[in-house]
Amino acid sequence: MLKHPNLVIKILLALILSYTFDKNKISSTTYLPNHETTTYLMKELKLDGELSFHNIHHASKDFGNRYSFLPRAVLYPKSVSDISNLVNYIFQMGPTSELTIAPRGHGHSLEGQAQAHQGVVVNMESLAKSQEMKFHVDGNTNTPFVDVSGGELWINILRESLKYGFAPKSWTDYLHLTVGGTLSNAGISGQAFRHGPQINNVHQLQVVTGEVVTCTEEMNSDLYHSVLGGLGQFGIITRAHISLEPAPEMVKWIKVLYLDFATFTKDQEQLISSNNSFDYVEGFVLINRTGLLNNWRSSFKNKDPVRARRFVSEGKTIFCLEIAKYYKQEDVHTIDQKIESLLSKLNYNEFTLFISEVSYVDFLDRVHVSELKLQEKGLWDVPHPWLNLLVPKSKIHQFASEVFGKILTDTSNGPILIYPVDKSRWNTKTSMVTPKENVFYLVAFLSSAMPSSTGTDSLENILSQNKRILDVCETANLETKQYLPHYNTQEEWKKHFGSQWEVFVRRKFRYDPLAILTPGQRIFQKAINSL
């Protein structure tokens, strides 16, 4: 986008750096499209795919089910040049046009981040349908990888990779997300303590900034680091080289319980610091849950069912360690001994040990099973006021004492994940924001709200709880950071990025000076009608 230096200079003066997002200025009201602008788009753009102006309401919705901003059009690209032509065309319209662009993957955003109010939404899954995965896993490759579309779903990458005996190293808990979507945030799950997030396991990117740019750690490295964890602000990821490793076949999936938070976190931290450990480490907080262990017995085996049946979970705050060990069929006779050795170093309540044996695919795609059950009950397409926090290790006990059992007196609205990661081996040049300490906890409040409710499962009540949690973090100076962040003012964004803010702004000026891309993040506003 640096082909127009005079325009860029003017834009630098016009781009609003003290922008405050006002919900009252942009509502979910459906406006009539600007027919003159859309007519120009239809006439001027040279496309292999299709630009649609009808039946586009799906692009104004997402998994969060709280915001709905209708675009003017949806692009269904069949080539990377379709996306490049669109970005260039809207850029060349300059600040007299209000058009913006939002790449949309599988629609799993929480706060309208992949929506473009009266702009153009790019359907990235359409691009994936016209692009093949290219595997590089032969004996001549020291670092096997797969070259995939930015619109490809991780579940599809898993299935195709397994045909070659390989799989990506790092995952998210839910696999029906696009590559470009997770790389624009980070992609954190229970494997991150070992391999880092997904943004640490990509070797090369193809990015559209207007131009189509190939970038790596060494080539166009500033753009490479910008878009990884960059919230879609600097370019649209259209291809990625994803690191692979030999794939396991089976998984021992284990759950154990703790009544003491200090013991629970000590064991978690010990697991992520050991070279000889489990392959996946996560955890849950369970508050005032009824019949907890009986619910697990349908899919997990317990060695002491009599004592487990007597266990009372009501009225208690319990901490569940969830761990997994991967293996191949050839290891079936030794895997139990390895697991017993690893478990012997932990201090869980012995009779709460539950073990299940599942395929590698079934383990990684476990959340999709829950999704299908909720869809059957009509409980999937509801508001999801999720709150994801990164809490420094030194502050996690204070955080827990203030939140669990006080602000939250039950966990009936959805799971609460809690597990540590160590970023000491992560790439720190990306746009992702984390606490300063190397070890920090992901604490994810994954609530679902009932639309017609006025009780504890109402959207209003859950949002109030979220605010109280954030207030505790602020007043107690817990130095937390939001993961999948959402803020309403640029001052809040400045505080979120901290010392990285100036670099973030510099990169925005360099790669998207008109603030065309991903307006739903509400970090910058497009400069309009001021030149």
Side-chain angles (χ1 to χ4, degrees):
M1 285 190 182
L2 299 180
K3 297 177 180 179
H4 316 278
N6 293 332
L7 180 59
V8 170
I9 292 172
K10 293 180 181 179
I11 292 164
L12 292 177
L13 299 175
L15 189 61
I16 300 170
L17 288 179
S18 57
Y19 170 58
T20 300
F21 176 71
D22 185 351
K23 294 180 186 176
N24 296 320
K25 292 180 181 178
I26 302 179
S27 69
S28 57
T29 304
T30 301
Y31 293 90
L32 292 175
N34 182 318
H35 292 290
E36 184 179 1
T37 301
T38 54
T39 300
Y40 278 136
L41 279 174
M42 293 178 70
K43 288 181 178 179
E44 298 295 327
L45 279 178
K46 308 299 181 184
L47 299 173
D48 298 314
E50 177 189 359
L51 189 67
S52 177
F53 302 95
H54 307 288
N55 300 318
I56 59 175
H57 283 78
H58 67 279
S60 67
K61 299 177 181 179
D62 59 24
F63 178 71
N65 266 305
R66 293 182 53 216
Y67 295 87
S68 180
F69 302 134
L70 189 67
R72 291 184 182 179
V74 174
L75 174 64
Y76 295 90
K78 287 187 177 179
S79 64
V80 173
S81 63
D82 283 353
I83 300 173
S84 177
N85 289 342
L86 175 68
V87 174
N88 274 323
Y89 181 76
I90 293 179
F91 182 78
Q92 288 167 6
M93 292 174 73
T96 59
S97 167
E98 296 182 2
L99 287 177
T100 55
I101 301 170
R104 184 182 193 270
H106 204 55
H108 211 262
S109 296
L110 297 171
E111 309 274 356
Q113 287 96 334
Q115 298 176 30
H117 178 71
Q118 291 297 287
V120 181
V121 169
V122 180
N123 186 306
M124 296 302 293
E125 287 189 87
S126 174
L127 179 67
K129 292 176 182 177
S130 63
Q131 295 186 326
E132 294 182 0
M133 297 186 208
K134 300 175 182 177
F135 286 88
H136 300 261
V137 294
D138 57 43
N140 297 324
T141 304
N142 294 326
T143 54
F145 69 92
V146 57
D147 179 4
V148 299
S149 169
E152 192 61 79
L153 297 180
W154 284 99
I155 182 63
N156 295 337
I157 297 172
L158 172 63
R159 289 168 177 159
E160 290 301 311
S161 299
L162 289 176
K163 295 177 182 178
Y164 296 85
F166 286 83
K169 298 177 180 179
S170 190
W171 299 97
T172 52
D173 287 330
Y174 181 64
L175 303 189
H176 297 250
L177 306 171
T178 60
V179 168
T182 64
L183 294 182
S184 295
N185 288 284
I188 300 177
S189 187
Q191 304 87 3
F193 76 94
R194 175 165 294 167
H195 299 294
Q198 290 178 326
I199 58 174
N200 266 53
N201 293 277
V202 55
H203 302 312
Q204 179 175 300
L205 297 170
Q206 182 189 73
V207 179
V208 173
T209 63
E211 298 176 290
V212 180
V213 184
T214 298
C215 53
T216 68
E217 189 81 44
E218 294 80 26
M219 177 175 59
N220 298 312
S221 60
D222 187 67
L223 179 60
Y224 174 82
H225 294 128
S226 297
V227 297
L228 293 174
L231 307 176
Q233 294 302 295
F234 311 110
I236 299 175
I237 298 172
T238 49
R239 288 201 75 82
H241 289 188
I242 306 297
S243 178
L244 301 175
E245 66 178 358
E249 297 169 349
M250 300 296 294
V251 175
K252 291 284 187 177
W253 183 7
I254 301 165
K255 295 181 181 181
V256 293
L257 296 183
Y258 297 74
L259 295 176
D260 179 66
F261 186 70
T263 305
F264 168 69
T265 54
K266 182 180 179 181
D267 277 0
Q268 281 192 317
E269 289 166 16
Q270 179 259 314
L271 287 173
I272 71 161
S273 64
S274 173
N275 291 325
N276 179 27
S277 181
F278 290 92
D279 299 296
Y280 162 97
V281 177
E282 288 198 9
F284 297 89
V285 182
L286 304 152
I287 306 174
N288 195 22
R289 294 293 299 273
T290 302
L292 178 64
L293 298 192
N294 286 333
N295 294 335
W296 289 353
R297 290 172 60 199
S298 61
S299 52
F300 287 78
K301 293 181 180 179
N302 177 256
K303 292 185 177 180
D304 195 345
V306 175
R307 292 180 68 191
R309 206 174 302 124
R310 294 172 183 167
F311 181 78
V312 178
S313 54
E314 292 91 335
K316 296 179 180 178
T317 298
I318 300 167
F319 308 98
C320 172
L321 174 63
E322 183 180 52
I323 45 185
K325 191 68 176 173
Y326 307 155
Y327 65 101
K328 291 182 177 263
Q329 287 292 353
E330 61 202 53
D331 303 318
V332 69
H333 299 297
T334 59
I335 187 65
D336 287 338
Q337 184 177 351
K338 290 179 181 178
I339 288 174
E340 286 182 13
S341 176
L342 292 172
L343 288 174
S344 68
K345 302 172 185 177
L346 304 179
N347 297 288
Y348 58 90
N349 285 34
E350 187 175 350
F351 67 90
T352 67
L353 171 62
F354 282 77
I355 301 180
S356 180
E357 184 178 72
V358 296
S359 72
Y360 185 56
V361 173
D362 286 346
F363 174 72
L364 291 179
D365 201 28
R366 62 198 179 279
V367 177
H368 185 55
V369 176
S370 299
E371 174 190 357
L372 295 176
K373 291 178 181 177
L374 291 171
Q375 284 179 345
E376 287 180 4
K377 298 177 182 178
L379 298 176
W380 184 256
D381 296 319
V382 298
H384 295 98
W386 287 7
L387 176 64
N388 296 271
L389 298 175
L390 306 177
V391 184
K393 171 185 171 181
S394 66
K395 308 285 186 179
I396 192 63
H397 293 276
Q398 185 179 356
F399 177 90
S401 66
E402 293 288 344
V403 175
F404 305 140
K406 290 185 179 179
I407 295 176
L408 294 178
T409 56
D410 66 62
T411 51
S412 58
N413 291 331
I416 301 175
L417 306 186
I418 180 168
Y419 57 92
V421 294
D422 185 345
K423 69 171 183 179
S424 59
R425 289 176 288 183
W426 292 17
N427 187 337
T428 58
K429 297 178 183 178
T430 70
S431 294
M432 183 190 180
V433 176
T434 64
K436 294 178 181 179
E437 297 178 16
N438 278 339
V439 177
F440 56 86
Y441 279 75
L442 172 66
V443 187
F445 302 88
L446 308 182
S447 302
S448 298
M450 296 300 103
S452 58
S453 175
T454 58
T456 57
D457 58 354
S458 69
L459 179 61
E460 182 181 5
N461 181 68
I462 296 172
L463 290 175
S464 175
Q465 286 183 338
N466 288 351
K467 184 179 184 305
R468 290 173 64 193
I469 293 169
L470 291 172
D471 287 346
V472 163
C473 295
E474 180 72 20
T475 56
N477 193 28
L478 298 185
E479 300 177 333
T480 59
K481 294 292 183 181
Q482 283 193 37
Y483 176 58
L484 309 178
H486 167 69
Y487 298 102
N488 288 327
T489 70
Q490 197 171 83
E491 285 303 315
E492 291 173 312
W493 280 110
K494 287 181 182 179
K495 185 172 182 180
H496 170 76
F497 283 103
S499 60
Q500 293 176 241
W501 174 247
E502 289 186 8
V503 173
F504 197 82
V505 171
R506 175 185 61 77
R507 287 171 167 173
K508 185 67 172 178
F509 280 147
R510 181 176 182 182
Y511 301 114
D512 182 27
L514 259 183
I516 291 171
L517 299 174
T518 317
Q521 294 285 3
R522 303 164 196 139
I523 306 174
F524 303 97
Q525 184 184 35
K526 185 176 181 183
I528 301 169
N529 297 329
S530 57
L531 302 183

